[in-house]
Amino acid sequence: MTQDTSAATTHNQPLSAQTPTNDVRQRFFIEDSPVRGDVVRLSRSYATTIAQKPYPEAIKRLLGEMLTAASLLIGTVKIDGRLSIQLQSSDSDSLLNWAMAECDQNGIIRALASWKADNDEQVQAWDNMIDAKQAFAELGEAGKGVLFINIQPDGGEPYQGIVERSHDNLADCLAHYQKQSAQIPTLINLASDGLQAGGVLVQMLPRTVQETVEVEQNQDAGIDDDLWTRLTMLTSTVKDEELTTLAASEIIYRLYNEESVVAPEPVSLEFGCTCSREKCETAIEQIGETEALDILEEQNGSFEMDCGFCGEIYKFDKDDVTAIFAE
């Protein structure tokens, strides 16, 4: 595998102290091997996201893991666009209706979830949940509920992959999907404490044709056949509190300081939203002028459209609606 390392540095110690510690995706490579990885740390961007709604603690943590996962996975696809992860319950009795998290190629993240808290019993049930795994379990037992990965290239055709509900947590389901669909061995660890979130992804890319030929001919290709086994063991040792509190560079150093790691500049991550008044006008066009005017009459001459992601409110009156359909 050939990688552009012109802006990278090999390190056997933590990256520069000037490297941002929060709200970043830090890519790394194991030199002279087909291994790539990313570490994501979310702090302010995550806090801003979950502050938009009064989420139960378990959903806050689940959204933290989902945001981290989306930020990790978009680094594995070569697109200009967005990648989102969506969970959809198939059980009407589930307390979690759906949840989604999104990251675009520029590092802009956002997330949203819908849940049931219509009575004291449901509210108490959420109060008794303390971690993301419990919220994830609200999809139902293994094999139930639906997980999607949606990829939307700018100006291109969207792609949706269905993730098998093979495990009882998001990280293992996504790692299984990567191995089964892309045939790429993948390690994923995710963590969220309700205040911060983080995760690590490591992949073993396919060997080049030349490397495969040399292995088949039993030649010394300089390939470390024990590398993946070693990385699997090392990655499994990372603790949740390390993923949510340590700088990305420190996580890489603690796990892989015996390897020759190459680390390019990190990518900043931040909360952002794509809502706009123009998109609201398009939605009004879709429902039609008659229905829009009926809504105006029901709402005493004006109505509001609010964005669930960021809380922005767009107000429309009769003049606004008339102008939309006059164009």
Side-chain angles (χ1 to χ4, degrees):
M1 180 185 67
T2 301
Q3 299 287 354
D4 178 9
T5 58
S6 59
T9 56
T10 302
H11 67 85
N12 288 309
Q13 59 184 8
L15 300 179
S16 167
Q18 296 180 354
T19 299
T21 58
N22 297 323
D23 301 296
V24 298
R25 180 176 66 246
Q26 176 65 66
R27 169 145 291 189
F28 66 92
F29 306 102
I30 305 298
E31 204 167 29
D32 298 323
S33 84
V35 171
R36 72 178 179 194
D38 287 279
V39 172
V40 162
R41 281 281 286 108
L42 300 177
S43 181
R44 178 174 295 183
S45 57
Y46 168 50
T48 302
T49 300
I50 61 174
Q52 304 306 318
K53 289 184 177 295
Y55 292 113
E57 182 65 23
I59 293 183
K60 288 181 183 179
R61 297 190 179 207
L62 178 61
L63 288 178
E65 290 192 1
M66 294 177 67
L67 283 167
T68 301
S71 302
L72 288 168
L73 290 176
I74 196 161
T76 69
V77 295
K78 297 180 179 180
I79 64 162
D80 289 326
R82 305 186 304 277
L83 182 147
S84 65
I85 296 171
Q86 182 177 343
L87 310 182
Q88 182 75 50
S89 174
S90 58
D91 185 350
S92 61
D93 293 327
S94 171
L95 294 178
L96 179 67
N97 297 322
W98 54 265
M100 69 84 67
E102 178 183 89
C103 182
D104 71 13
Q105 202 65 45
N106 296 316
I108 305 301
I109 66 170
R110 63 178 188 169
L112 192 62
S114 171
W115 72 100
K116 295 185 181 73
D118 301 326
N119 53 54
D120 291 342
E121 183 178 353
Q122 292 176 341
V123 171
Q124 185 61 50
W126 282 117
D127 288 343
N128 291 336
M129 297 185 201
I130 59 174
D131 60 32
K133 189 174 179 180
Q134 291 171 303
F136 187 80
E138 283 301 311
L139 291 174
E141 62 188 21
K144 294 186 177 180
V146 183
L147 289 72
F148 300 105
I149 293 179
N150 301 298
I151 298 174
Q152 177 63 70
D154 293 338
E157 289 294 321
Y159 167 81
Q160 183 177 82
I162 299 177
V163 181
E164 181 184 352
R165 178 76 189 284
S166 55
H167 296 77
D168 64 358
N169 64 85
L170 178 64
D172 289 340
C173 288
L174 294 174
H176 178 76
Y177 171 80
Q178 288 289 308
K179 183 177 180 180
Q180 295 297 112
S181 65
Q183 302 297 307
I184 298 176
T186 302
L187 309 172
I188 299 178
N189 284 20
L190 304 171
S192 174
D193 62 10
L195 298 173
Q196 300 186 89
V200 58
L201 175 149
V202 185
Q203 291 187 319
M204 175 76 81
L205 300 180
R207 285 172 169 158
T208 65
V209 174
Q210 182 61 33
E211 287 173 339
T212 301
V213 170
E214 290 174 343
V215 169
E216 290 176 350
Q217 294 177 348
N218 294 318
Q219 295 180 9
D220 182 7
I223 295 174
D224 184 351
D225 288 323
D226 294 328
L227 178 60
W228 186 247
T229 300
R230 194 163 64 246
L231 293 177
T232 300
M233 293 178 61
L234 291 170
T235 305
S236 69
T237 66
V238 69
K239 298 179 175 62
D240 287 355
E241 56 266 33
E242 292 176 326
L243 291 174
T244 57
T245 60
L246 297 180
S249 57
E250 179 66 16
I251 292 170
I252 294 171
Y253 174 69
R254 288 197 181 194
L255 292 177
Y256 314 119
N257 64 83
E258 296 297 326
E259 311 296 336
S260 296
V261 176
V262 178
E265 288 298 311
V267 175
S268 295
L269 302 170
E270 62 179 314
F271 170 79
C273 193
T274 60
C275 72
S276 67
R277 188 173 182 85
E278 289 72 23
K279 289 183 178 180
C280 291
E281 291 173 352
T282 298
I284 293 172
E285 280 187 294
Q286 291 175 346
I287 67 173
E289 184 173 10
T290 299
E291 186 169 346
L293 291 174
D294 288 344
I295 295 173
L296 281 173
E297 185 174 351
E298 293 172 1
Q299 300 295 323
N300 298 318
S302 68
F303 62 82
E304 298 178 346
M305 300 178 71
D306 65 296
C307 176
F309 289 100
C310 69
E312 185 72 28
I313 297 174
Y314 300 93
K315 297 182 178 181
F316 293 87
D317 58 22
K318 185 175 182 179
D319 290 340
D320 296 324
V321 171
T322 301
I324 290 171
F325 291 97
E327 296 178 355

